[in-house]
Amino acid sequence: MDTSLLVIQTLNGLQLGLLLFLVASGLTLVFGILDFVNLAHASLYMLGAFICASLTYAVGNFFLAVLIALPVTALLGWGVERFVARPLYARDHLDHVLATFGLILVLDTAAHLIWGPEGIAVPLPEAFRGQIELSETLVIPTYRLVIIAAGLAAAGGLYWMVVHTRLGMLIRAGASNRVMVGALGINIELLFGLVFALGAALAGLAGMLIAPITEASIGMGNQVIITAFVVIIVGGIGSMKGAFIAALLIGLIDTLGRSFLDDIFKLVMSPDAAENSAPAISAMLIYIIMACVLALKPQGLFPPKVR
Amino acid sequence: MSILETKGLMKSFGGIRATDDLTLSVEQGELHAIIGPNGAGKTTLITQLCGTQMPDAGTIHFKGRDITALAPDKRARLGITRSFQITSLIPDMTVLENIALAVQAREGSSYRFIRAAAGIPAIRDRAMALLERVGLAEKAEIETRALSHGEHRHMEIAIALASRAELMLLDEPMAGLGPEESARMVDLLTELKGQHTIVLIEHDMDAVFALADRISVLVYGHIIATGDPASIRANKEVEAAYLGEEA
Amino acid sequence: MSTRTIATLVAMALLAVLPPIFFYTGNAFWLDLATRLTILAIAAVSLNLILGYGGLVSFGHAAYVGLGAYAVGIPAYHWLYGGLESLGLATTSGLVQIPLAMVVCALFALVTGAICLRTKGVYFIMITMAFAQMVYYASVSIEEYGGDDGLVIDTRSELPGLNLDNPIQLFGLAYLSLVVAMLIVRMITRSRFGMVLRGAKGNAERVQMMGLNPYAYRLTAYVISGAMAGYAGALLGNFTTFISPEMMDWTRSGELMFMVILGGASTTGGPVLGAAAFIILEEVLSHFTIYWHLPFGLLLIAVVLFTRGGLMGFFRGRK
């Protein structure tokens, strides 16, 4: 195992973790405050990527595209709240799951209609195409560091907003006691819409950030949503702190597991057995961890306080 | 002989002591009422007695056996049943099915997969008899959610009876009942008195003083007095606690 | 007889009569559709036991179907290419494969159910899905059995007196299995065991106060349901003669859930009606446009928003 690979993979894990956090934070907000399970959350991640891709070609600048795409995805999130989620608040989780499952089909197909079956690659701005040489063996693409920085900035901004603003105060109050917020005479509908829009913008941002690496493609959200659910379940649904810690944990474990698990297995078993079992185990690793966490703490690592 | 004994029971929620060094002894066959101002910790006591909440400290003995750490279903099988202050029935099953399930739970194994439960005379007949007893026989086939609040309260009693429990913990059986329904409930409890040991939590003081053999007064999680209705009525401390609440 | 029972009987009669007509008039395509529908209906019936009657929203049922299919494919693969003879698992005998499918699924349900049932609500939904994803990724990464590309089943299960290569015989087996599955679920849910299961769905705390531990009953139902879905998977493997991880994708589990809800949860015939409506709709819509997921998804949302009790809600039940 060499150190430079470890450093690179750790950065990759960090990057994945931060992107996961951007998706999971919206999911956990929506669930914590609205008690709503939104399977279609990652469709906004996909739409964010597509919208940003189109805009990048239209305006010729990736940053400008991101800046325009953010409010657009927020608006889409608001629309999802208004037309699909709102009529379902009083229903049980099963209905949420089914309706938003339908919404995934609708949004995926809509993307297919608009952008076609092929994915769209997003060109990186000139400034980020390079690599940064940390040592002779340690070369990191600049854009990876940009993603990490942007992810940290978004997480920091979110933290600041939740702790210091009035909206944040309402969100915190709502996550721990929904009834109380209603009793305060707050415009609940507006608050719910804002929470959805915020979540959508965060998920969209994750999609926009990843698009230059993977390209925007149909169904790109469908794997992310499951991992994001793993994150919020492990972290404890409704807990921002839990989502952040779990996202980094899952991101790191998944990335490092895939690259180093066979080496670790070779310490305790034959090289052949290690080569054979490591890929399967590393692919399942985050689910195994989730199962272990839930077996020990059925409400996740940071369970929300009294409901 | 005492059937239920608690010693030094403690339970706190986030620094607030809901149960504070609570010692209580319930005699076999008596109707023991527990009264106290709102927030005195009456329901918290019931939940600890039936096992849905564990005390932080102290012990609970039932028929001489330490049941402090026993799960609710195990306590139920030993012979403790409770009714709920907020009606807790199975809304999407019929009235008869609710009672039949309680009968079945008491009368034998529920790991039976073949015969339809509704076709077993022993269960059905006893469930019907219980419904007869609480005056709900003609509503047997109706879905539970369709019944009135008062009827739900009577179903709670029927379920408690179905368990043939030696000890019945009744949490405000008269809550939310109109005068007529209350009177029927008092009649029913009078009938049950003597056949079962009953711990009754109730706000309706007329009913409590008419029914109880003994009364314990709970204030801030602690029992300040226990005695027959006359001695409780004459107790200065009790009066102060209640006057304190009203003031 | 309630109109609901009549609706179920009519649907089952149509399903019994139409496929042979398709077969003898040379409409192989429609017979195929009916067979697939019937097999998925078995899976939906098994899911209904826990989801409908038990109130346990399992979001990982496709994993059992997939495991069941692999329990046919893997022995058949070893029979052809060698390996596993010592375990007796290099075989094309359905009398080994089908019990294997059910046992594997029952065990998987027992182990994962023991963990899942400690959780509640959305945690339960997500952990069942997570376990299904584990199976999915395991199958993706096992290269020997095709990994991502899937595994072709060269030989169908051999059963005494039956030839599953004959499409009408395969359909006949699936149909009979469906009837038996429906009767089993109906029997279980009306039994004393079923009363506890249904009672725990309505009010678990109350059931526990009666002296019954919901956990044990739920776990038992979970295992029965898993074994039944494994059986459906074994049939599905025989029908498609091809298995791939894609059969276990979480969207497949979502589809099974939708079949149950669309038809009407906690009714005997609901899952069958739901599976039929789902498969036929999918076929018809995809015939018209490659964008059929759009109207399909909208319909799904509309069903959840505007109907209660699914298709069975249109018919009056007893009471």
Side-chain angles (χ1 to χ4, degrees), chain C residues 29 281-290 292:
Chain C
F29 173 79
L281 210 61
E282 182 182 74
E283 200 54 54
V284 172
L285 286 177
S286 62
H287 186 74
F288 284 116
T289 164
I290 57 162
W292 65 276

Side-chain angles (χ1 to χ4, degrees), chain A residues 19 23 44-46 48-49 52 202-212 220:
Chain A
L19 289 174
V23 179
L44 293 155
Y45 165 87
M46 173 193 73
C52 174
L202 288 166
L205 177 64
M208 296 167 208
L209 288 173
I210 200 74
M220 67 188 279

Side-chain angles (χ1 to χ4, degrees), chain A residues 32-262:
Chain A
I33 300 170
L34 290 75
D35 197 25
F36 184 79
V37 185
N38 185 9
L39 281 184
H41 187 68
S43 294
L44 293 155
Y45 165 87
M46 173 193 73
L47 290 176
F50 270 115
I51 292 167
C52 174
S54 288
L55 284 170
T56 305
Y57 288 108
V59 300
N61 183 322
F62 178 66
F63 295 109
L64 200 56
V66 169
L67 285 180
I68 306 172
L70 277 175
V72 177
T73 39
L75 198 67
L76 286 171
W78 179 85
V80 170
E81 196 274 339
R82 177 68 193 78
F83 296 105
V84 180
R86 197 179 293 178
L88 289 170
Y89 289 147
R91 307 282 196 82
D92 56 19
H93 293 146
L94 175 61
D95 283 351
H96 303 169
V97 167
L98 289 169
T100 53
F101 181 66
L103 189 59
I104 290 180
L105 298 181
V106 172
L107 294 178
D108 273 3
T109 320
H112 185 180
L113 270 166
I114 299 170
W115 287 287
E118 305 288 326
I120 301 180
V122 179
L124 267 181
E126 200 64 56
F128 296 150
R129 285 188 200 159
Q131 297 182 323
I132 293 174
E133 220 169 286
L134 292 184
S135 76
E136 273 178 34
T137 48
L138 200 53
V139 181
I140 297 162
T142 315
Y143 188 63
R144 299 238 169 216
L145 294 179
V146 174
I147 293 186
I148 292 174
L152 282 174
L158 194 60
Y159 176 79
W160 177 82
M161 194 210 75
V162 168
V163 174
H164 294 290
T165 66
R166 188 175 149 74
L167 176 63
M169 183 211 62
L170 290 174
I171 286 175
R172 271 181 299 142
S176 52
N177 192 337
R178 231 167 294 134
V179 185
M180 192 188 83
V181 175
L184 287 173
I186 307 298
N187 183 343
I188 282 285
E189 290 193 346
L190 183 65
L191 176 65
F192 285 4
L194 281 176
V195 167
F196 248 90
L198 176 65
L202 288 166
L205 177 64
M208 296 167 208
L209 288 173
I210 200 74
I213 297 182
T214 60
E215 79 185 16
S217 63
I218 311 279
M220 67 188 279
N222 294 355
Q223 287 313 314
V224 170
I225 186 70
I226 301 302
T227 319
F229 266 112
V230 171
V231 166
I232 71 167
I233 297 273
V234 168
I237 299 175
S239 161
M240 247 344 183
K241 182 175 80 176
F244 187 71
I245 292 171
L248 291 187
L249 206 66
I250 296 284
L252 285 169
I253 287 172
D254 191 50
T255 312
L256 295 176
R258 280 172 208 275
S259 40
F260 298 114
L261 202 64
D262 52 347

Side-chain angles (χ1 to χ4, degrees), chain B residues 87 148-154 157 172-186 189 202 204:
Chain B
T87 305
S148 74
H149 175 72
E151 289 165 330
H152 283 155
R153 305 306 296 170
H154 282 87
I157 303 292
E172 297 198 28
M174 279 160 237
L177 295 191
E180 211 170 294
E181 290 172 319
S182 281
R184 270 184 58 205
M185 185 63 81
V186 171
L189 292 181
E202 189 47 66
D204 182 338

